[in-house]
Amino acid sequence: MIDDTPEASQDLSALLDDVRRHLLWQEEAAGRVLMIDAKAALELQRSAPSLRARFARTQGAADAGPPALPEAPLPRPPLASQAPEPRSIGTERPGPATPAGAAGLPGHGVAAPARVPPPARPGGMALGSVEGRPPAPRTPGAGMRVDAPPPTSRPAGALPGAANGERPTLDEIRRELGDCQRCTLCSTRKNLVFGSGNPRAELVFVGEGPGESEDLQGVPFVGAAGDLLTKMIGAMGYRRDDVYICNVVKCRPPGNRNPEPEEIASCEPFLRAQLAAIQPKVVVALGKFAAQTLLRDSTPITRLRGNWRTYEGIQLMPTFHPAYLLRSPAEKRKAWEDLQAVMKALGKQPGSRA
């Protein structure tokens, strides 16, 4: 039988008012802490014995416990992208333990738990508040467009083959080179000397730079040094049209002087692009400038020659430049030994000596 006396009804009404006030406060705090007004907490403490007795009589259980308050909402976990904010430590000392199910404010005899403010949201609105509650994160699904990253394109002015590992063509490289004005050699040249031969050659010869005859004709190795190189190629069992021939610099240095470092730096990307386009099995570097430029090695050619090296996965043989051999005929024997090693690597039988 339920006790419906006016006194019991008033007690229950007061209790429900306290619970309602508690829930409203909990909603404002986003469920992060359990808070009840201090005055109400004291009133609940004072009225607890009489309420227990009344509820025990009503339910017929003398040892029944106090009526259970509605459970406070569980604290919302922080967003995955936000680390929990550190709690500030104040100067007040913690008071005595608060009775279970009740919390109050300092100064009213009941210690208040440390309150952790909800993390701030851009615009000054708390993430835990009802008005500032963030929308649930969305995952890509039906009806939701996800932008793909833009395709990687070659930067303006970049050499073909410089991006995405693409293989350029000699025609693309020549067009990119254009009427080159990248260094001071353009002011004294007559013709730009790009290269000549088989664009899919298995053997490439790289020299230093054009001489006077090459500058006039726009073709590499056509002077006296070119005649000797043609004989060397023939002795290896090739024709000039079978191989590819080019130089480190594409314009003649005045007076056939050595190319300057800045001149080599301006032309080197085009030389490397040419080798990337052809992809030969073997490169023969003629002279110190070709060998040192491709290998990034300042070792003298007298020590580099005759020793196999590797350039971008391609076998490279350094040897003497034909112009040097014209000045030092005794060194032809060493150059021929170097070329015989190249022939062996390519499966060729030697012909007549140069």
Side-chain angles (χ1 to χ4, degrees):
M1 180 177 179
I2 298 176
D3 185 358
D4 57 354
T5 63
E7 182 180 0
S9 300
Q10 291 176 0
D11 289 339
L12 287 176
S13 178
L15 177 62
L16 291 176
D17 288 340
D18 289 335
V19 171
R20 186 180 302 106
R21 184 164 55 252
H22 163 71
L23 292 178
L24 290 175
W25 201 346
Q26 281 290 99
E27 184 176 9
E28 292 177 357
R32 293 184 177 274
V33 294
L34 183 65
M35 296 184 297
I36 298 180
D37 180 57
K39 181 178 178 181
L42 292 176
E43 292 175 357
L44 282 175
Q45 289 177 344
R46 287 195 294 268
S47 61
S50 61
L51 290 175
R52 270 200 303 270
R54 291 180 182 278
F55 273 87
R57 289 196 304 271
T58 302
Q59 301 298 328
D63 57 346
L69 294 176
E71 292 185 2
L74 293 175
R76 295 184 180 88
L79 296 179
S81 60
Q82 294 178 339
E85 294 187 3
R87 182 167 56 191
S88 301
I89 301 177
T91 57
E92 292 183 337
R93 298 191 178 210
T98 304
L105 299 175
H108 291 80
V110 181
R115 182 174 178 178
V116 181
R121 181 182 183 185
M125 186 175 289
L127 288 176
S129 65
V130 176
E131 295 81 5
R133 187 172 299 162
R138 298 177 64 190
T139 55
M144 185 174 182
R145 182 173 65 87
V146 179
D147 293 330
T152 304
S153 58
R154 189 169 72 234
L159 288 176
N164 302 327
E166 64 186 41
R167 183 175 176 180
T169 67
L170 292 175
D171 287 341
E172 288 175 332
I173 300 166
R174 181 62 186 90
R175 285 195 298 270
E176 186 70 34
L177 185 59
D179 183 24
C180 185
Q181 308 285 320
R182 293 172 177 82
C183 74
T184 57
L185 293 181
C186 66
S187 62
T188 57
R189 74 170 184 235
K190 290 183 172 58
N191 285 293
L192 188 148
V193 183
F194 181 69
S196 65
N198 182 358
R200 291 292 178 263
E202 64 177 4
L203 177 61
V204 171
F205 290 87
V206 179
E208 176 183 322
E212 183 179 9
S213 299
E214 289 81 7
D215 183 39
L216 291 172
Q217 299 183 41
V219 180
F221 283 92
V222 292
D227 291 339
L228 178 57
L229 179 61
T230 300
K231 292 178 182 179
M232 295 164 65
I233 293 172
M236 296 176 69
Y238 292 96
R239 299 172 303 167
R240 277 186 64 122
D241 291 342
D242 296 327
V243 302
Y244 192 85
I245 305 172
C246 59
N247 287 301
V248 172
V249 295
K250 311 304 183 187
C251 301
R252 180 196 179 195
N256 289 349
R257 64 163 171 79
N258 292 333
E260 299 291 342
E262 60 271 18
E263 296 164 354
I264 293 175
S266 298
C267 262
E268 181 183 355
F270 294 96
L271 168 63
R272 294 181 180 272
Q274 285 174 292
L275 296 177
I278 300 169
Q279 300 209 347
K281 294 180 180 178
V282 176
V283 171
V284 175
L286 301 170
K288 73 171 185 177
F289 285 98
Q292 292 177 354
T293 299
L294 292 175
L295 297 176
R296 306 284 197 207
D297 190 337
S298 60
T299 303
I301 188 62
T302 54
R303 290 167 51 192
L304 283 174
R305 62 140 297 269
N307 298 299
W308 282 110
R309 301 290 292 272
T310 301
Y311 165 79
E312 300 289 339
I314 302 170
Q315 295 186 84
L316 186 145
M317 173 60 73
T319 193
F320 294 124
H321 194 283
Y324 172 76
L325 296 177
L326 290 176
R327 299 192 302 269
S328 306
E331 301 289 5
K332 287 185 178 181
R333 179 180 58 83
K334 295 178 182 178
W336 177 240
E337 292 173 356
D338 300 340
L339 296 182
Q340 284 180 312
V342 172
M343 294 164 61
K344 183 178 179 180
L346 294 172
K348 285 283 188 177
Q349 295 297 322
S352 60
R353 293 182 59 177

